[in-house]
């Protein structure tokens, strides 16, 4: 029986085997991009810092003249971060009003609502002392008051007229009128102007302190001296009677 010889392999060559398919690793997932201005998860909350920076700019250069870029520079952050927290300049301004300005007014007004309606001396002393306590705690208040309320075009004038002052002003004027009707107050005074007088003896001297201290070389006079001066003038001018 004939046999077939095995085919000879070419010398020097090995039998070829199918090549294994290369193993492909999954593409690395790229980290999600943060929106411009969005802080890292572990970043500290910058909101309070931005409100304080906005207030500092408002006092120094005025509300209308202050841009978000100015506030960002004051706080040492990017304008995009300011946008992240507040959206726009109006929202930031509203936050400053709600969180910084209104609490100051409330700190003066609220204690006066608890004073006995017949005790005009306590009402006057409470207003004067309350204003100077607020000035001591918030030295920026008088300058901002003059710039943004009293000055023509001030950005806070409408806020004062429509929201802050109406009810409080009427309450003070009514108490002065009632005391005058009882013969407890100088009859030559107009009750409607007395609140204006109280402000003129408190906020104005506080706002003008750098000027009158320089004019009269009066660096030795502090706000408590101004408070006592105002109370002495009012005590004699109002001619309060028990």
């Amino acid at each position: 029986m004939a046999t077939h010889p095995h085919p000879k392999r070419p010398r020097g060559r090995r039998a070829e085997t199918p090549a294994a398919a290369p193993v492909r690793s999954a593409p690395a997932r790229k980290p999600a991009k943060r929106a411009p201005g969005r802080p890292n998860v572990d970043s500290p909350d910058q909101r309070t810092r931005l409100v304080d920076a906005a207030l500092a700019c408002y006092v120094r250069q005025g509300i209308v003249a202050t841009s978000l870029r100015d506030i960002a520079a004051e706080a040492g952050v990017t304008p995009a971060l300011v946008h992240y927290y507040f959206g726009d300049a109006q929202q930031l301004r509203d936050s400053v009003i709600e969180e910084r300005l209104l609490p100051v007014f409330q700190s003066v007004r609220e204690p006066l609502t608890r004073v006995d309606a017949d005790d005009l001396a306590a009402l006057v002393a409470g207003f004067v002392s309350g204003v100077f306590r607020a000035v001591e705690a918030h030295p920026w208040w008088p300058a901002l008051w003059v710039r943004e309320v009293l000055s023509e075009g001030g950005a806070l004038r409408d806020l004062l007229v429509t929201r802050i002052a109406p009810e409080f002003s009427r309450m003070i004027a009514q108490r002065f009128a009632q005391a005058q009707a009882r013969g407890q107050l100088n009859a030559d005074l107009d009750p409607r102007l007395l609140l204006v007088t109280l402000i003129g003896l408190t906020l104005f001297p506080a706002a003008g302190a750098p000027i009158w201290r320089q004019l009269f070389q009066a660096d030795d006079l502090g706000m408590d001296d101004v408070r006592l001066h105002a109370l002495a003038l009012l005590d004699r001018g109002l001619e309060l009677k028990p």
Side-chain angles (χ1 to χ4, degrees), residues 1 7 23 29 43 65 68 71 77 101 133 138 147 165 172 215:
M1 181 174 181
V23 178
R29 180 175 297 178
S43 296
L68 289 184
I71 295 167
V77 302
L101 300 184
R133 280 196 302 269
H138 311 285
R147 177 189 289 275
I172 295 291
L215 287 175

Side-chain angles (χ1 to χ4, degrees), residues 34-50:
R34 289 185 293 115
R38 183 180 293 275
N40 292 320
V41 175
D42 56 351
S43 296
D45 187 0
Q46 300 283 355
R47 191 179 187 285
T48 299
R49 183 179 181 181
L50 292 173

Side-chain angles (χ1 to χ4, degrees), residues 42-84:
D42 56 351
S43 296
D45 187 0
Q46 300 283 355
R47 191 179 187 285
T48 299
R49 183 179 181 181
L50 292 173
V51 170
D52 289 336
L55 179 59
C57 290
Y58 294 166
V59 173
R60 184 171 59 248
Q61 62 199 53
I63 292 176
V64 174
T66 297
S67 67
L68 289 184
R69 187 171 295 276
D70 294 330
I71 295 167
E74 180 75 19
V77 302
T78 64
L81 189 69
V82 184
H83 278 287
Y84 168 73

Side-chain angles (χ1 to χ4, degrees), residues 131-167:
V131 168
F132 283 110
R133 280 196 302 269
V135 169
E136 182 178 8
H138 311 285
W140 48 263
W141 183 33
L144 192 67
W145 170 275
V146 171
R147 177 189 289 275
E148 300 297 346
V149 174
L150 299 183
S151 299
E152 187 67 30
L156 299 178
R157 180 176 292 188
D158 285 345
L159 179 71
L160 177 80
V161 173
T162 62
R163 183 174 175 185
I164 295 175
E167 182 180 352

Side-chain angles (χ1 to χ4, degrees), residues 53-218:
L55 179 59
C57 290
Y58 294 166
V59 173
R60 184 171 59 248
Q61 62 199 53
I63 292 176
V64 174
T66 297
S67 67
L68 289 184
R69 187 171 295 276
D70 294 330
I71 295 167
E74 180 75 19
V77 302
T78 64
L81 189 69
V82 184
H83 278 287
Y84 168 73
Y85 277 101
F86 296 99
D88 58 29
Q90 185 60 53
Q91 291 183 47
L92 178 50
R93 182 188 304 184
D94 291 342
S95 296
V96 174
I97 290 171
E98 293 292 335
E99 299 171 27
R100 295 294 183 272
L101 300 184
L102 293 183
V104 176
F105 289 110
Q106 184 65 13
S107 71
V108 176
R109 178 175 54 189
E110 199 275 332
L112 299 180
T113 62
R114 302 194 300 268
V115 175
D116 190 318
D118 295 333
D119 194 345
L120 201 60
L123 183 69
V124 171
F127 180 90
V128 172
S129 298
V131 168
F132 283 110
R133 280 196 302 269
V135 169
E136 182 178 8
H138 311 285
W140 48 263
W141 183 33
L144 192 67
W145 170 275
V146 171
R147 177 189 289 275
E148 300 297 346
V149 174
L150 299 183
S151 299
E152 187 67 30
L156 299 178
R157 180 176 292 188
D158 285 345
L159 179 71
L160 177 80
V161 173
T162 62
R163 183 174 175 185
I164 295 175
E167 182 180 352
F168 177 71
S169 300
R170 287 191 291 268
M171 182 268 288
I172 295 291
Q174 184 179 23
R175 290 196 181 185
F176 282 136
Q178 291 170 346
Q180 196 174 51
R182 294 192 299 267
Q184 296 175 314
L185 179 65
N186 187 340
D188 294 329
L189 302 177
D190 189 318
R192 296 167 297 180
L193 294 177
L194 283 178
L195 180 58
V196 180
T197 300
L198 292 177
I199 294 172
L201 290 172
T202 53
L203 276 176
F204 279 161
I211 299 173
W212 56 257
R213 282 186 174 131
Q214 182 178 357
L215 287 175
F216 302 112
Q217 298 180 348

